Amino acid sequence: MPAAPPEVAILEAIQSGAGSHPSVIATARGMSHFGEHALGWIGCAAVGYALDKPRRRQWAGVAVGAVGAHAASIVIKRVVRRPRPDHPNVAINVSTPSKLSFPSSHATSTTAAAVLMGRLTGLPLPALLVPPMLLSRMVLGVHYPTDVLAGAALGAASAAAVLAAEKQLGER
């Protein structure tokens, strides 16, 4: 039997390591539901907006960044049309709304939200939130490593666009 392609081999290693524990799979599923369509990040932005009145515009920017990043990832998915992992050695541990894989929308919206919330709060949120979300998508078997890395890069670019727009608005 030929060796699995490199990205499949990485998924196999992740799933046979940390991803072999039921609690890790359950946590990854919870993260998946939280990040679906950027809804969890919109909820976080809404709480910040409600509780932090002096910085409402920035909290609205978190929501805009997460939703915009998610939308950008959907457009790219439809252009690239890369199918999700489909290899007998990769377990699929959660359902998905589409069969398209590149880039990971969860990685995209999480990175955008983490960068924007981190900047707003002063907390190292990208370092704390992004790696677990990226890993969770591979634990669940629904994305290749390049899907999550591209999603993170797109999310960072989306956050940069929101920050640039906020700077422009602040100068007016």
Side-chain angles (χ1 to χ4, degrees):
M1 179 180 216
E7 287 202 281
V8 170
I10 293 169
L11 292 178
E12 287 180 80
I14 289 168
Q15 288 190 334
S16 66
S20 65
H21 301 283
S23 62
V24 171
I25 294 171
T27 300
R29 281 187 185 132
M31 293 170 70
S32 182
H33 296 307
F34 178 88
E36 196 67 45
H37 306 295
L39 292 175
W41 302 120
I42 295 167
C44 289
V47 169
Y49 185 90
L51 299 179
D52 187 5
K53 291 182 183 181
R55 298 187 298 177
R56 279 190 163 164
R57 185 164 66 175
Q58 291 92 338
W59 283 107
V62 171
V64 167
V67 170
H70 177 77
S73 72
I74 297 302
V75 169
I76 293 169
K77 276 182 193 283
R78 292 187 177 168
V79 170
V80 173
R81 306 201 63 78
R82 181 184 197 184
R84 291 192 186 272
D86 182 21
H87 191 277
N89 296 348
V90 176
I92 307 303
N93 293 308
V94 72
S95 63
T96 59
S98 86
K99 303 285 184 210
L100 302 177
S101 186
F102 183 92
S104 164
S105 296
H106 282 75
T108 304
S109 63
T110 296
T111 303
V115 168
L116 294 167
M117 289 190 306
R119 176 127 175 168
L120 185 55
T121 64
L123 298 171
L125 296 179
L128 296 173
L129 299 174
V130 175
M133 183 61 84
L134 273 57
L135 182 60
S136 77
R137 305 312 288 160
M138 294 183 290
V139 163
L140 295 172
V142 294
H143 284 290
Y144 295 104
T146 51
D147 298 337
V148 298
L149 293 173
L154 179 59
S158 297
V162 169
L163 293 170
E166 286 179 354
K167 184 177 180 183
Q168 282 287 105
L169 290 172
E171 292 173 358
R172 291 183 182 173

